[in-house]
Amino acid sequence: NTFVDIEISDSLSEGVFKGYEVTDKEVVTDQWNNTSTVKILTITKAGSYKITKDKKAGTWRVVIAAKIDDTVNLTLSNVELNLSETGNSKNGGVPALEITGDCETVITLDGTNTLKGGVNCAGLQNGTNKLTIKGDGSLTAQGGIRGAGIGGGAYAPGGNITIESGTVNATGGESAAGIGGGYNGNGSNITISGGIVTAICPINWNNKPTYAAGIGGGYMGDGTNITINGGNVTATGGSG
């Protein structure tokens, strides 16, 4: 099996490598309509990968795009990816970590990790691709407006998520679940069997709770097949 140890840094060159690709040409727009370039690390093949990040590195995001029936085992070790400034009312932002392939992804947490998504995006956006989170470390996942902390972006479902261990703090953007669906998105097939998990649908700019579940569906979305059979879980939803 492939094992690749990758440090995200600005010296990481663009190109195609064993199991992954690096590109630096994605143009994003911020809330003031200014444009900038985001560098992307894309995992393209099944295997085991460990990602660390140089604290001096610029703006990066990670995409997992392996094929159906592949399994990607990814260790996040003290990785901070902050895309929260991307996007505005006309142009959506980008997720910090996005699973686009129909593969299964197993994320092992090591150290302290933070994933923050842009407008209409989750912090860790798997959609309905199978995702397992475990490990001894921690993850803070924060969605942009209308994006779940972990799960779906705006108008999209989030599900097939299992948390086995680790400390996971997931906060949705306005009208999106902490874990599950984005705005107008369902949240389903979510299982927590261990770890310390906090999932919050946040307050809005007017200091009022928004309409989504802590774990489950976003605003106007449904939550189904939510199972908690272990761990220490706190889930706080909005009103409505």
Side-chain angles (χ1 to χ4, degrees):
N1 289 339
T2 300
F3 176 80
V4 184
D5 197 338
I6 307 167
E7 181 186 35
I8 291 176
S9 70
D10 290 342
S11 63
L12 194 61
S13 58
E14 185 173 22
V16 178
F17 305 93
K18 185 179 180 180
Y20 69 98
E21 300 176 1
V22 176
T23 57
D24 60 3
K25 293 182 171 62
E26 183 176 46
V27 177
V28 295
T29 306
D30 67 14
Q31 60 182 313
W32 297 283
N33 221 34
N34 298 315
T35 59
S36 61
T37 300
V38 172
K39 296 184 177 182
I40 311 171
L41 170 65
T42 302
I43 294 173
T44 57
K45 295 181 180 180
S48 297
Y49 300 81
K50 180 179 180 180
I51 295 178
T52 57
K53 184 173 182 285
D54 182 349
K55 292 182 179 179
K56 296 180 181 179
T59 305
W60 283 77
R61 71 187 191 99
V62 173
V63 176
I64 299 175
K67 297 177 181 179
I68 190 169
D69 296 328
D70 282 350
T71 299
V72 172
N73 293 289
L74 174 63
T75 297
L76 294 178
S77 182
N78 296 307
V79 173
E80 179 179 357
L81 302 174
N82 185 356
L83 284 299
S84 61
E85 296 297 320
T86 63
N88 53 44
S89 59
K90 294 183 179 180
N91 301 291
V94 290
L97 196 162
E98 182 178 14
I99 303 171
T100 62
D102 292 326
C103 59
E104 177 179 355
T105 301
V106 179
I107 293 178
T108 299
L109 303 174
D110 176 47
T112 302
N113 302 279
T114 303
L115 303 173
K116 295 182 179 181
V119 173
N120 292 338
C121 298
L124 197 175
Q125 187 163 303
N126 71 302
T128 56
N129 295 309
K130 190 174 182 180
L131 170 65
T132 299
I133 299 172
K134 62 180 183 177
D136 297 324
S138 68
L139 172 63
T140 297
Q142 180 179 311
I145 294 173
R146 295 181 289 277
I150 301 172
Y155 305 98
N160 298 319
I161 300 165
T162 300
I163 300 176
E164 296 181 349
S165 55
T167 300
V168 178
N169 299 297
T171 302
E174 185 172 337
S175 300
I179 301 174
Y183 172 82
N184 202 18
N186 297 331
S188 60
N189 302 324
I190 300 169
T191 299
I192 300 173
S193 59
I196 301 171
V197 179
T198 303
I200 299 172
C201 168
I203 59 176
N204 65 11
W205 60 272
N206 201 27
N207 205 35
K208 294 181 179 180
T210 59
Y211 308 131
I215 302 174
Y219 176 58
M220 297 178 68
D222 295 326
T224 57
N225 198 21
I226 313 298
T227 303
I228 299 173
N229 54 23
N232 186 338
V233 180
T234 302
T236 304
S239 60

